[in-house]
Amino acid sequence: MSEGEVTHPDERRRRWVGVGQSAAANSRAAGIEAASRAVAGRSAALLVVFCSDSHDLEQLLEGINEVSGNAPLIGCSTAGEIATAGPADLSVVVTALGGEGFSVATASASLDGERLSEGGAAVASCLSELAEREHRVLLLLTDGLAGDQQEIVRGAYSVAGAGVALVGGCAGDDMKMAATAQFHGSRVLANSVVAAAVGSDAPLGIGVRHGWRRVGEPMVVTKSADNRVYSLDGEPALDVYLSRLNAPAEAAVDAAAFTLFAMTHPLGLVRRSQEEHVRFIADANFEDRSLGCIAEVPQGGMAWIMQGDDASVLEATDRACTDALGALGGRPPVGLLTFDCIARRGVLGESGIRREIGRIAEHAAGAPVAGFYTYGEIARTSGIAGFHNQTLVVLAVS
């Protein structure tokens, strides 16, 4: 089955976003089908590709580029794909952006040797290639397994500065947690970050909300290093975490059981923002009793254990969409890009994620929706911090 292109009425004028999806098993055919529906014979300024890593990725990109005439392209592998009709697995989603009032530059950089900050700075340099536009955003897609993702954001911010919003997500690999892929043009990359700098004559809006609630009393992070937490309130972090939550016995001895439990019980860090920043707890070390998170947990800071349910997560969905659309100054959107954490999918379940995408489509009011389930989300509109876990980020294009 495949999804046809969904367009907004304003697309008939000067700016447009097209979305195409394909579940074809043949990778080249899937790329051709999804790209054809997204581009629909027009000249695209940028293509953004989200797909399962079950595909032959080189063949997939070959089909997409054949249709687009090698238009600028970035993308990544996922933990599930999102389009207007709803969520999917093992599919390909292509988003095409074009028409008047856009300028685009793309870049990629390796993250080898733990050079995360340098990689972020390197791709952000493509901002200098943009034609002058009033509104700018840097779209980042990173290897979600590369280490402390906040370092990539810091590196990009060091170049972009406070005047350019950062938005995006961390590539997935259908929850295998082995290796992710990034795309730049016709190249399939690994352990990399790719970026598209987008300049626009019309506003671009970003919303970021998570929907998790604090559980119990706060804790002091008494010992941590990078993305590893060794002690909370002076006690082994794993022991405190399991005790506070009355975790099932298997979570204390089995790595897979622990990860499944931790997916719906993240840590919340105090930030000067509308909500706490959330940190996904990816693993536990049963020997040194530490917790491993996707990004840095600063020593000496305050932390809470968080939990959520269908109602709180879907409320956050509505608020993220409202925030993103509210930044458009009353203009209707021509498209929405969404970056939704795989852990939120775990809370909502399969029926819940269909309701969630349906709600996003209602907010879009006829504009196409595309996105993917991530291993982490990027949204920096103020301050230097901009990496999130277990959060929904929405980019609205007008």
Side-chain angles (χ1 to χ4, degrees):
M1 110 181 234
S2 65
E3 181 200 54
E5 181 198 6
V6 183
T7 62
H8 189 275
D10 279 1
E11 182 176 316
R12 292 192 296 269
R13 300 202 297 237
R14 65 187 188 92
R15 296 161 67 83
W16 58 269
V17 170
V19 174
Q21 185 176 24
S22 174
N26 180 280
S27 298
R28 189 170 183 277
I32 290 172
E33 181 179 28
S36 295
R37 296 184 183 278
V39 173
R42 298 162 296 194
S43 177
L46 175 68
L47 298 186
V48 184
V49 179
F50 304 129
C51 71
S52 168
D53 70 350
S54 63
H55 277 286
D56 181 322
L57 300 177
E58 287 83 1
Q59 285 291 306
L60 179 79
L61 292 184
E62 183 178 308
I64 293 170
N65 286 315
E66 177 183 313
V67 171
S68 74
N70 294 302
L73 179 153
I74 66 167
C76 65
S77 59
T78 74
E81 302 78 50
I82 294 169
T84 313
D89 294 299
L90 308 179
S91 75
V92 180
V93 172
V94 176
T95 304
L97 175 151
E100 298 177 17
F102 291 113
S103 58
V104 171
T106 63
S108 59
S110 171
L111 300 175
D112 284 339
E114 300 182 352
R115 297 171 61 87
L116 305 184
S117 179
E118 292 89 338
V123 295
S125 65
C126 70
L127 283 161
S128 65
E129 302 172 23
L130 282 185
E132 189 64 31
R133 304 284 182 189
E134 182 178 357
H135 307 278
R136 293 183 297 166
V137 68
L138 184 67
L139 174 58
L140 297 164
L141 302 173
T142 77
D143 178 0
L145 304 176
D148 184 1
Q149 300 290 315
Q150 182 59 40
E151 286 299 305
I152 300 174
V153 175
R154 287 194 182 107
Y157 177 83
S158 72
V159 173
V164 178
L166 310 179
V167 67
C170 302
D173 63 349
D174 291 327
M175 293 302 292
K176 294 186 286 292
M177 296 294 178
T180 72
Q182 299 76 49
F183 316 138
H184 186 207
S186 62
R187 294 186 297 152
V188 177
L189 308 172
N191 195 28
S192 297
V193 53
V194 298
V198 179
S200 172
D201 288 348
L204 304 164
I206 296 174
V208 49
R209 299 283 182 167
H210 57 67
W212 302 93
R213 305 187 184 104
R214 297 176 179 180
V215 178
E217 296 299 314
M219 305 167 289
V220 177
V221 181
T222 44
K223 183 180 179 182
S224 68
D226 298 324
N227 60 339
R228 195 129 214 115
V229 181
Y230 294 96
S231 68
L232 296 166
D233 288 341
E235 300 293 331
L238 176 59
D239 296 340
V240 173
Y241 179 78
L242 294 174
S243 175
R244 288 267 189 125
L245 291 168
N246 293 316
E250 58 269 24
V253 295
D254 180 77
F258 175 84
T259 299
L260 184 63
F261 177 75
M263 183 178 290
T264 54
H265 298 88
L267 287 180
L269 310 180
V270 176
R271 297 290 192 193
R272 294 177 182 175
S273 62
Q274 295 169 309
E275 297 183 306
E276 301 90 349
H277 276 208
V278 178
R279 289 292 178 259
F280 173 48
I281 301 173
D283 69 85
N285 186 315
F286 297 118
E287 294 182 3
D288 68 13
R289 316 303 291 171
S290 66
L291 300 171
C293 299
I294 292 293
E296 179 186 19
V297 177
Q299 184 169 301
M302 301 290 288
W304 275 264
I305 294 173
M306 312 287 283
Q307 66 181 16
D309 55 29
D310 285 19
S312 66
V313 169
L314 290 174
E315 180 185 356
T317 299
D318 288 332
R319 293 172 71 189
C321 291
T322 298
D323 291 347
L325 295 170
L328 300 184
R331 293 176 60 99
V334 294
L336 300 184
L337 275 180
T338 64
F339 308 91
D340 201 353
C341 184
I342 185 61
R344 287 168 49 88
R345 183 175 183 175
V347 172
L348 292 172
E350 292 307 302
S351 63
I353 60 173
R354 293 194 175 279
R355 292 199 307 274
E356 179 182 44
I357 304 309
R359 288 169 88 145
I360 294 172
E362 287 179 11
H363 284 282
V369 175
F372 75 103
Y373 291 102
T374 73
Y375 287 174
E377 304 76 53
I378 296 168
R380 191 222 64 81
T381 56
S382 63
I384 190 171
F387 179 70
H388 307 264
N389 284 142
Q390 297 174 279
T391 296
L392 173 66
V393 172
V394 178
L395 170 65
V397 180
S398 68

